[in-house]
Amino acid sequence: MIKRTVYIGNPAHLKLKNQQLLVQEPLGDVKGSVPIEDMALLVLDHYQITISTQVINSLQGNGVCIVTCDAHHLPFGITLPLYGHTEHSERVKYQLEVSDPLKKQLWKQTVIQKIKNQEALLKLNNRVHEPMEMYRTTTKSGDTTNTEGKAAQHYWKHLFPDFQRNRFGDAPNALLNFGYAILRSIVARALVSSGLLPVLGLFHKNKYNPYCLADDIMEPYRPFVDKMVVNYVNNNGETDALTKEVKAYLLGIATQDVWIDGQQRPLMIAVTTTTASLYKCYTGELRQIKYPELD
Amino acid sequence: MSQDRFNAYRIMWVLVFFDLPTETKVERKAASLFRKNLLKDGFDMFQFSIYLRNCPSRENANVHIKRVKKALPKHGKIGVLCITDKQFGNMELFHGKKPTDLPGVTQQLELF
């Protein structure tokens, strides 16, 4: 079942009534209520939102990911429950015992699928995509030759004209950042629901990063965000303003259909397929992580 | 990538109609408990003794129908109906003689 995303961008009190999330204006007018069990993501994007502990508890009990946003309206923090999965500690044990060669193999698969998806997106937009195939086929275990970076360089140069991918760069970087941050919280939520620690990455191991594994697993999903941004820019021209409409559009990433494992699924469901297959790779039941294909 | 899978034939509405006796204190208590359980399960009041809930899929609707069945009071008449969003959208609603809007379709993405 595809779950709901709730975005709050105005001053509001959030409280629990009849075990439902009640959204109230500061003056007391009820703006609506949402069944908590139907939710997956709650995005809080205003400084004047108050939230009761009871609501937080109930959200966490239902595996809802709470995303808070900073002054630039970009997602800043992710709150996830510890009890994402009943076998949590057993699964973490498997995750901790994963050997380095296996990690490198899994990272190689991740990079290959990412480049494949980037290549498909370039092809879709009639851009130069030939070099991507070379990068993809020469990716080594653990990506020791950094084909990921080389491919990315080509990819960004051709995807948008006169564009530099930079966290604080010009348009449409802000749109990409917003999309990636939402994607990251979706992936982190799926990892926790598969009983895995988002901290322990395959490749990312920055000591300041608490979501290394989420950053690894989301790599092949990034081109789906890129695709949405490309479509948006093509239709609306280059923009850097994160308006309500832009955000509503980008939050729709959760329900975009993708092809995974021979089936068409909403992205949010596909991510859980990926994390479940990752766990099976850890236990040795599978040799390949299941990743989506961009068509 | 398309979004048409989240469509009007997949989304279901569960409607619960009930007439519960409220003669004695015990019966009143049972009736209000049943109503309260519906609210806790995410149902909204449509009219007095008619409650409805939007469910994103048939499977999800079945879960909620099951819960209603579990919460049934000892006495009284209760009807449970499950229809597609498409059928629900064909309903005509009036306030007096004036036609009114249907309850808003639940969005997958809700902006407040």
mmCIF file of all heavy atoms in Angstrom, chain A residues 165-208:
data_model
loop_
_atom_site.group_PDB
_atom_site.id
_atom_site.type_symbol
_atom_site.label_atom_id
_atom_site.label_comp_id
_atom_site.label_asym_id
_atom_site.label_seq_id
_atom_site.Cartn_x
_atom_site.Cartn_y
_atom_site.Cartn_z
ATOM 1 N N ARG A 165 27.086 21.293 -10.782
ATOM 2 C CA ARG A 165 26.418 20.688 -9.631
ATOM 3 C C ARG A 165 27.197 21.074 -8.387
ATOM 4 O O ARG A 165 28.379 20.763 -8.246
ATOM 5 C CB ARG A 165 26.386 19.175 -9.797
ATOM 6 C CG ARG A 165 25.920 18.410 -8.574
ATOM 7 C CD ARG A 165 24.436 18.552 -8.313
ATOM 8 N NE ARG A 165 24.135 18.039 -6.987
ATOM 9 C CZ ARG A 165 23.392 18.669 -6.090
ATOM 10 N NH1 ARG A 165 22.870 19.832 -6.364
ATOM 11 N NH2 ARG A 165 23.173 18.127 -4.921
ATOM 12 N N ASN A 166 26.521 21.806 -7.531
ATOM 13 C CA ASN A 166 27.157 22.289 -6.320
ATOM 14 C C ASN A 166 26.057 22.507 -5.294
ATOM 15 O O ASN A 166 24.971 22.966 -5.628
ATOM 16 C CB ASN A 166 27.853 23.617 -6.635
ATOM 17 C CG ASN A 166 28.649 24.121 -5.458
ATOM 18 O OD1 ASN A 166 28.246 23.980 -4.295
ATOM 19 N ND2 ASN A 166 29.782 24.702 -5.736
ATOM 20 N N ARG A 167 26.346 22.146 -4.049
ATOM 21 C CA ARG A 167 25.296 22.243 -3.045
ATOM 22 C C ARG A 167 24.747 23.665 -2.930
ATOM 23 O O ARG A 167 23.573 23.876 -2.702
ATOM 24 C CB ARG A 167 25.819 21.766 -1.687
ATOM 25 C CG ARG A 167 24.717 21.719 -0.658
ATOM 26 C CD ARG A 167 25.161 21.060 0.604
ATOM 27 N NE ARG A 167 25.438 19.635 0.402
ATOM 28 C CZ ARG A 167 25.817 18.841 1.393
ATOM 29 N NH1 ARG A 167 25.992 19.312 2.583
ATOM 30 N NH2 ARG A 167 26.045 17.576 1.170
ATOM 31 N N PHE A 168 25.630 24.666 -3.103
ATOM 32 C CA PHE A 168 25.165 26.048 -2.958
ATOM 33 C C PHE A 168 25.157 26.793 -4.287
ATOM 34 O O PHE A 168 25.128 28.007 -4.334
ATOM 35 C CB PHE A 168 26.031 26.784 -1.939
ATOM 36 C CG PHE A 168 26.103 26.060 -0.628
ATOM 37 C CD1 PHE A 168 27.228 25.322 -0.288
ATOM 38 C CD2 PHE A 168 25.028 26.087 0.243
ATOM 39 C CE1 PHE A 168 27.280 24.628 0.907
ATOM 40 C CE2 PHE A 168 25.075 25.390 1.441
ATOM 41 C CZ PHE A 168 26.201 24.663 1.772
ATOM 42 N N GLY A 169 25.217 26.024 -5.391
ATOM 43 C CA GLY A 169 25.349 26.641 -6.708
ATOM 44 C C GLY A 169 24.059 27.222 -7.258
ATOM 45 O O GLY A 169 23.052 27.335 -6.575
ATOM 46 N N ASP A 170 24.129 27.596 -8.536
ATOM 47 C CA ASP A 170 22.995 28.245 -9.201
ATOM 48 C C ASP A 170 21.881 27.241 -9.498
ATOM 49 O O ASP A 170 22.031 26.045 -9.323
ATOM 50 C CB ASP A 170 23.467 28.881 -10.512
ATOM 51 C CG ASP A 170 24.484 29.982 -10.255
ATOM 52 O OD1 ASP A 170 24.447 30.537 -9.145
ATOM 53 O OD2 ASP A 170 25.309 30.248 -11.139
ATOM 54 N N ALA A 171 20.777 27.789 -10.017
ATOM 55 C CA ALA A 171 19.625 26.961 -10.383
ATOM 56 C C ALA A 171 20.057 25.897 -11.375
ATOM 57 O O ALA A 171 20.925 26.158 -12.209
ATOM 58 C CB ALA A 171 18.546 27.849 -10.996
ATOM 59 N N PRO A 172 19.445 24.738 -11.370
ATOM 60 C CA PRO A 172 18.415 24.285 -10.423
ATOM 61 C C PRO A 172 18.987 23.478 -9.251
ATOM 62 O O PRO A 172 18.363 22.505 -8.843
ATOM 63 C CB PRO A 172 17.530 23.436 -11.309
ATOM 64 C CG PRO A 172 18.476 22.839 -12.319
ATOM 65 C CD PRO A 172 19.658 23.758 -12.434
ATOM 66 N N ASN A 173 20.109 23.882 -8.711
ATOM 67 C CA ASN A 173 20.700 23.117 -7.608
ATOM 68 C C ASN A 173 19.773 22.987 -6.402
ATOM 69 O O ASN A 173 19.709 21.936 -5.774
ATOM 70 C CB ASN A 173 22.010 23.771 -7.171
ATOM 71 C CG ASN A 173 23.189 23.252 -7.964
ATOM 72 O OD1 ASN A 173 23.459 22.063 -7.946
ATOM 73 N ND2 ASN A 173 23.872 24.127 -8.667
ATOM 74 N N ALA A 174 19.057 24.074 -6.097
ATOM 75 C CA ALA A 174 18.180 24.037 -4.933
ATOM 76 C C ALA A 174 17.100 22.967 -5.077
ATOM 77 O O ALA A 174 16.749 22.280 -4.120
ATOM 78 C CB ALA A 174 17.544 25.405 -4.721
ATOM 79 N N LEU A 175 16.595 22.833 -6.316
ATOM 80 C CA LEU A 175 15.565 21.820 -6.562
ATOM 81 C C LEU A 175 16.135 20.417 -6.371
ATOM 82 O O LEU A 175 15.495 19.547 -5.778
ATOM 83 C CB LEU A 175 15.016 21.966 -7.988
ATOM 84 C CG LEU A 175 13.833 22.899 -8.187
ATOM 85 C CD1 LEU A 175 14.176 24.313 -7.772
ATOM 86 C CD2 LEU A 175 13.353 22.872 -9.603
ATOM 87 N N LEU A 176 17.350 20.234 -6.903
ATOM 88 C CA LEU A 176 17.994 18.932 -6.751
ATOM 89 C C LEU A 176 18.208 18.620 -5.273
ATOM 90 O O LEU A 176 17.922 17.522 -4.805
ATOM 91 C CB LEU A 176 19.333 18.916 -7.491
ATOM 92 C CG LEU A 176 19.252 18.982 -9.016
ATOM 93 C CD1 LEU A 176 20.621 19.236 -9.605
ATOM 94 C CD2 LEU A 176 18.679 17.696 -9.585
ATOM 95 N N ASN A 177 18.709 19.629 -4.535
ATOM 96 C CA ASN A 177 18.964 19.414 -3.110
ATOM 97 C C ASN A 177 17.699 18.991 -2.379
ATOM 98 O O ASN A 177 17.731 18.073 -1.560
ATOM 99 C CB ASN A 177 19.495 20.697 -2.460
ATOM 100 C CG ASN A 177 20.869 21.052 -2.971
ATOM 101 O OD1 ASN A 177 21.568 20.201 -3.520
ATOM 102 N ND2 ASN A 177 21.259 22.297 -2.804
ATOM 103 N N PHE A 178 16.610 19.674 -2.664
ATOM 104 C CA PHE A 178 15.354 19.355 -1.991
ATOM 105 C C PHE A 178 14.926 17.926 -2.331
ATOM 106 O O PHE A 178 14.592 17.136 -1.447
ATOM 107 C CB PHE A 178 14.260 20.350 -2.387
ATOM 108 C CG PHE A 178 12.987 20.157 -1.609
ATOM 109 C CD1 PHE A 178 12.848 20.741 -0.358
ATOM 110 C CD2 PHE A 178 11.959 19.385 -2.110
ATOM 111 C CE1 PHE A 178 11.687 20.557 0.372
ATOM 112 C CE2 PHE A 178 10.793 19.200 -1.380
ATOM 113 C CZ PHE A 178 10.661 19.789 -0.135
ATOM 114 N N GLY A 179 14.974 17.600 -3.607
ATOM 115 C CA GLY A 179 14.571 16.258 -4.043
ATOM 116 C C GLY A 179 15.424 15.169 -3.410
ATOM 117 O O GLY A 179 14.905 14.173 -2.916
ATOM 118 N N TYR A 180 16.749 15.393 -3.393
ATOM 119 C CA TYR A 180 17.653 14.402 -2.809
ATOM 120 C C TYR A 180 17.391 14.219 -1.321
ATOM 121 O O TYR A 180 17.443 13.102 -0.798
ATOM 122 C CB TYR A 180 19.118 14.815 -2.985
ATOM 123 C CG TYR A 180 19.612 14.780 -4.407
ATOM 124 C CD1 TYR A 180 20.674 15.579 -4.818
ATOM 125 C CD2 TYR A 180 19.029 13.942 -5.348
ATOM 126 C CE1 TYR A 180 21.136 15.557 -6.117
ATOM 127 C CE2 TYR A 180 19.480 13.921 -6.652
ATOM 128 C CZ TYR A 180 20.538 14.733 -7.035
ATOM 129 O OH TYR A 180 20.987 14.705 -8.323
ATOM 130 N N ALA A 181 17.123 15.343 -0.637
ATOM 131 C CA ALA A 181 16.906 15.255 0.805
ATOM 132 C C ALA A 181 15.649 14.450 1.123
ATOM 133 O O ALA A 181 15.631 13.645 2.063
ATOM 134 C CB ALA A 181 16.815 16.655 1.404
ATOM 135 N N ILE A 182 14.610 14.641 0.311
ATOM 136 C CA ILE A 182 13.390 13.854 0.509
ATOM 137 C C ILE A 182 13.676 12.391 0.208
ATOM 138 O O ILE A 182 13.280 11.488 0.947
ATOM 139 C CB ILE A 182 12.249 14.392 -0.386
ATOM 140 C CG1 ILE A 182 11.836 15.802 0.053
ATOM 141 C CG2 ILE A 182 11.050 13.470 -0.367
ATOM 142 C CD1 ILE A 182 11.282 15.895 1.456
ATOM 143 N N LEU A 183 14.401 12.170 -0.881
ATOM 144 C CA LEU A 183 14.755 10.801 -1.258
ATOM 145 C C LEU A 183 15.539 10.131 -0.134
ATOM 146 O O LEU A 183 15.303 8.973 0.218
ATOM 147 C CB LEU A 183 15.596 10.852 -2.535
ATOM 148 C CG LEU A 183 16.014 9.523 -3.130
ATOM 149 C CD1 LEU A 183 14.797 8.726 -3.560
ATOM 150 C CD2 LEU A 183 16.927 9.736 -4.333
ATOM 151 N N ARG A 184 16.460 10.885 0.447
ATOM 152 C CA ARG A 184 17.294 10.356 1.511
ATOM 153 C C ARG A 184 16.446 9.917 2.705
ATOM 154 O O ARG A 184 16.677 8.864 3.301
ATOM 155 C CB ARG A 184 18.271 11.438 1.957
ATOM 156 C CG ARG A 184 19.408 10.936 2.797
ATOM 157 C CD ARG A 184 20.207 12.155 3.232
ATOM 158 N NE ARG A 184 21.512 11.787 3.734
ATOM 159 C CZ ARG A 184 22.182 12.558 4.588
ATOM 160 N NH1 ARG A 184 21.663 13.694 5.006
ATOM 161 N NH2 ARG A 184 23.367 12.182 5.012
ATOM 162 N N SER A 185 15.435 10.724 3.051
ATOM 163 C CA SER A 185 14.600 10.324 4.186
ATOM 164 C C SER A 185 13.741 9.114 3.851
ATOM 165 O O SER A 185 13.491 8.272 4.709
ATOM 166 C CB SER A 185 13.750 11.488 4.682
ATOM 167 O OG SER A 185 13.295 12.260 3.628
ATOM 168 N N ILE A 186 13.331 9.000 2.589
ATOM 169 C CA ILE A 186 12.563 7.812 2.191
ATOM 170 C C ILE A 186 13.441 6.566 2.303
ATOM 171 O O ILE A 186 13.028 5.531 2.824
ATOM 172 C CB ILE A 186 12.030 7.957 0.742
ATOM 173 C CG1 ILE A 186 11.004 9.088 0.662
ATOM 174 C CG2 ILE A 186 11.412 6.663 0.263
ATOM 175 C CD1 ILE A 186 10.592 9.436 -0.755
ATOM 176 N N VAL A 187 14.701 6.701 1.840
ATOM 177 C CA VAL A 187 15.615 5.557 1.885
ATOM 178 C C VAL A 187 15.957 5.194 3.333
ATOM 179 O O VAL A 187 15.948 4.019 3.715
ATOM 180 C CB VAL A 187 16.904 5.845 1.075
ATOM 181 C CG1 VAL A 187 17.908 4.729 1.243
ATOM 182 C CG2 VAL A 187 16.578 6.028 -0.394
ATOM 183 N N ALA A 188 16.224 6.224 4.163
ATOM 184 C CA ALA A 188 16.560 5.957 5.563
ATOM 185 C C ALA A 188 15.399 5.255 6.261
ATOM 186 O O ALA A 188 15.603 4.317 7.038
ATOM 187 C CB ALA A 188 16.884 7.267 6.273
ATOM 188 N N ARG A 189 14.186 5.682 5.948
ATOM 189 C CA ARG A 189 13.007 5.058 6.546
ATOM 190 C C ARG A 189 12.917 3.586 6.140
ATOM 191 O O ARG A 189 12.654 2.713 6.962
ATOM 192 C CB ARG A 189 11.758 5.810 6.085
ATOM 193 C CG ARG A 189 10.487 5.211 6.568
ATOM 194 C CD ARG A 189 9.282 5.980 6.066
ATOM 195 N NE ARG A 189 8.083 5.323 6.524
ATOM 196 C CZ ARG A 189 7.466 4.354 5.862
ATOM 197 N NH1 ARG A 189 7.942 3.959 4.703
ATOM 198 N NH2 ARG A 189 6.390 3.794 6.358
ATOM 199 N N ALA A 190 13.163 3.320 4.859
ATOM 200 C CA ALA A 190 13.084 1.944 4.364
ATOM 201 C C ALA A 190 14.164 1.069 5.007
ATOM 202 O O ALA A 190 13.924 -0.090 5.336
ATOM 203 C CB ALA A 190 13.220 1.925 2.849
ATOM 204 N N LEU A 191 15.360 1.637 5.193
ATOM 205 C CA LEU A 191 16.450 0.870 5.824
ATOM 206 C C LEU A 191 16.063 0.471 7.235
ATOM 207 O O LEU A 191 16.239 -0.683 7.639
ATOM 208 C CB LEU A 191 17.736 1.707 5.858
ATOM 209 C CG LEU A 191 18.471 1.847 4.538
ATOM 210 C CD1 LEU A 191 19.579 2.877 4.677
ATOM 211 C CD2 LEU A 191 19.046 0.512 4.102
ATOM 212 N N VAL A 192 15.534 1.436 7.981
ATOM 213 C CA VAL A 192 15.138 1.153 9.356
ATOM 214 C C VAL A 192 14.023 0.109 9.375
ATOM 215 O O VAL A 192 14.022 -0.804 10.204
ATOM 216 C CB VAL A 192 14.703 2.448 10.073
ATOM 217 C CG1 VAL A 192 14.074 2.138 11.411
ATOM 218 C CG2 VAL A 192 15.899 3.352 10.268
ATOM 219 N N SER A 193 13.092 0.210 8.417
ATOM 220 C CA SER A 193 11.994 -0.758 8.405
ATOM 221 C C SER A 193 12.477 -2.144 7.993
ATOM 222 O O SER A 193 11.794 -3.128 8.214
ATOM 223 C CB SER A 193 10.857 -0.291 7.509
ATOM 224 O OG SER A 193 11.205 -0.476 6.162
ATOM 225 N N SER A 194 13.667 -2.236 7.384
ATOM 226 C CA SER A 194 14.246 -3.551 7.086
ATOM 227 C C SER A 194 15.164 -4.013 8.212
ATOM 228 O O SER A 194 15.864 -5.016 8.079
ATOM 229 C CB SER A 194 15.043 -3.517 5.787
ATOM 230 O OG SER A 194 14.201 -3.239 4.713
ATOM 231 N N GLY A 195 15.187 -3.261 9.309
ATOM 232 C CA GLY A 195 15.987 -3.665 10.468
ATOM 233 C C GLY A 195 17.475 -3.398 10.319
ATOM 234 O O GLY A 195 18.291 -4.044 10.970
ATOM 235 N N LEU A 196 17.853 -2.457 9.458
ATOM 236 C CA LEU A 196 19.276 -2.162 9.255
ATOM 237 C C LEU A 196 19.633 -0.809 9.868
ATOM 238 O O LEU A 196 18.780 0.055 10.046
ATOM 239 C CB LEU A 196 19.596 -2.141 7.760
ATOM 240 C CG LEU A 196 19.323 -3.449 7.025
ATOM 241 C CD1 LEU A 196 19.463 -3.266 5.537
ATOM 242 C CD2 LEU A 196 20.269 -4.543 7.504
ATOM 243 N N LEU A 197 20.914 -0.642 10.189
ATOM 244 C CA LEU A 197 21.389 0.639 10.715
ATOM 245 C C LEU A 197 21.765 1.542 9.555
ATOM 246 O O LEU A 197 22.604 1.169 8.741
ATOM 247 C CB LEU A 197 22.632 0.430 11.588
ATOM 248 C CG LEU A 197 22.450 -0.158 12.972
ATOM 249 C CD1 LEU A 197 23.810 -0.288 13.643
ATOM 250 C CD2 LEU A 197 21.539 0.704 13.814
ATOM 251 N N PRO A 198 21.195 2.740 9.469
ATOM 252 C CA PRO A 198 21.551 3.627 8.352
ATOM 253 C C PRO A 198 22.960 4.199 8.496
ATOM 254 O O PRO A 198 23.470 4.831 7.592
ATOM 255 C CB PRO A 198 20.517 4.755 8.427
ATOM 256 C CG PRO A 198 19.599 4.419 9.535
ATOM 257 C CD PRO A 198 20.177 3.329 10.347
ATOM 258 N N VAL A 199 23.583 3.967 9.646
ATOM 259 C CA VAL A 199 24.902 4.559 9.922
ATOM 260 C C VAL A 199 26.023 3.859 9.163
ATOM 261 O O VAL A 199 26.943 4.499 8.661
ATOM 262 C CB VAL A 199 25.200 4.494 11.437
ATOM 263 C CG1 VAL A 199 26.496 5.170 11.762
ATOM 264 C CG2 VAL A 199 24.059 5.100 12.220
ATOM 265 N N LEU A 200 25.936 2.521 9.090
ATOM 266 C CA LEU A 200 27.052 1.748 8.549
ATOM 267 C C LEU A 200 26.971 1.618 7.044
ATOM 268 O O LEU A 200 26.210 0.811 6.525
ATOM 269 C CB LEU A 200 27.037 0.348 9.158
ATOM 270 C CG LEU A 200 27.565 0.232 10.583
ATOM 271 C CD1 LEU A 200 27.364 -1.182 11.056
ATOM 272 C CD2 LEU A 200 29.028 0.616 10.645
ATOM 273 N N GLY A 201 27.763 2.397 6.348
ATOM 274 C CA GLY A 201 27.679 2.414 4.898
ATOM 275 C C GLY A 201 28.476 1.314 4.233
ATOM 276 O O GLY A 201 29.278 0.627 4.863
ATOM 277 N N LEU A 202 28.261 1.174 2.917
ATOM 278 C CA LEU A 202 29.070 0.264 2.110
ATOM 279 C C LEU A 202 30.339 0.991 1.698
ATOM 280 O O LEU A 202 31.446 0.468 1.789
ATOM 281 C CB LEU A 202 28.315 -0.131 0.842
ATOM 282 C CG LEU A 202 26.997 -0.863 0.999
ATOM 283 C CD1 LEU A 202 26.296 -0.945 -0.341
ATOM 284 C CD2 LEU A 202 27.234 -2.243 1.554
ATOM 285 N N PHE A 203 30.148 2.220 1.247
ATOM 286 C CA PHE A 203 31.260 2.996 0.707
ATOM 287 C C PHE A 203 31.434 4.298 1.471
ATOM 288 O O PHE A 203 32.535 4.631 1.907
ATOM 289 C CB PHE A 203 31.010 3.284 -0.774
ATOM 290 C CG PHE A 203 32.002 4.228 -1.377
ATOM 291 C CD1 PHE A 203 33.276 3.800 -1.694
ATOM 292 C CD2 PHE A 203 31.644 5.553 -1.625
ATOM 293 C CE1 PHE A 203 34.196 4.686 -2.238
ATOM 294 C CE2 PHE A 203 32.566 6.438 -2.172
ATOM 295 C CZ PHE A 203 33.841 6.004 -2.476
ATOM 296 N N HIS A 204 30.349 5.038 1.662
ATOM 297 C CA HIS A 204 30.423 6.295 2.412
ATOM 298 C C HIS A 204 30.832 5.986 3.836
ATOM 299 O O HIS A 204 30.249 5.132 4.492
ATOM 300 C CB HIS A 204 29.060 6.990 2.426
ATOM 301 C CG HIS A 204 28.698 7.614 1.110
ATOM 302 N ND1 HIS A 204 27.969 6.951 0.165
ATOM 303 C CD2 HIS A 204 28.977 8.821 0.590
ATOM 304 C CE1 HIS A 204 27.807 7.731 -0.892
ATOM 305 N NE2 HIS A 204 28.410 8.873 -0.665
ATOM 306 N N LYS A 205 31.845 6.669 4.362
ATOM 307 C CA LYS A 205 32.206 6.441 5.755
ATOM 308 C C LYS A 205 32.705 7.716 6.425
ATOM 309 O O LYS A 205 33.561 7.675 7.300
ATOM 310 C CB LYS A 205 33.206 5.305 5.902
ATOM 311 C CG LYS A 205 34.379 5.355 4.953
ATOM 312 C CD LYS A 205 35.342 4.232 5.291
ATOM 313 C CE LYS A 205 36.443 4.134 4.281
ATOM 314 N NZ LYS A 205 36.344 2.964 3.419
ATOM 315 N N ASN A 206 32.174 8.830 6.005
ATOM 316 C CA ASN A 206 32.482 10.099 6.650
ATOM 317 C C ASN A 206 32.073 10.034 8.114
ATOM 318 O O ASN A 206 30.964 9.659 8.440
ATOM 319 C CB ASN A 206 31.689 11.199 5.926
ATOM 320 C CG ASN A 206 32.010 12.566 6.460
ATOM 321 O OD1 ASN A 206 32.353 12.724 7.620
ATOM 322 N ND2 ASN A 206 31.914 13.552 5.603
ATOM 323 N N LYS A 207 32.996 10.387 8.998
ATOM 324 C CA LYS A 207 32.684 10.201 10.416
ATOM 325 C C LYS A 207 31.640 11.191 10.925
ATOM 326 O O LYS A 207 31.144 11.055 12.020
ATOM 327 C CB LYS A 207 33.952 10.304 11.266
ATOM 328 C CG LYS A 207 34.573 11.671 11.342
ATOM 329 C CD LYS A 207 35.717 11.654 12.348
ATOM 330 C CE LYS A 207 36.488 12.960 12.292
ATOM 331 N NZ LYS A 207 37.566 13.008 13.258
ATOM 332 N N TYR A 208 31.311 12.203 10.130
ATOM 333 C CA TYR A 208 30.294 13.163 10.547
ATOM 334 C C TYR A 208 28.928 12.841 9.966
ATOM 335 O O TYR A 208 27.964 13.539 10.216
ATOM 336 C CB TYR A 208 30.692 14.582 10.124
ATOM 337 C CG TYR A 208 32.040 14.981 10.679
ATOM 338 C CD1 TYR A 208 33.136 15.097 9.863
ATOM 339 C CD2 TYR A 208 32.183 15.212 12.042
ATOM 340 C CE1 TYR A 208 34.372 15.444 10.383
ATOM 341 C CE2 TYR A 208 33.411 15.551 12.567
ATOM 342 C CZ TYR A 208 34.494 15.666 11.732
ATOM 343 O OH TYR A 208 35.706 15.995 12.259
#
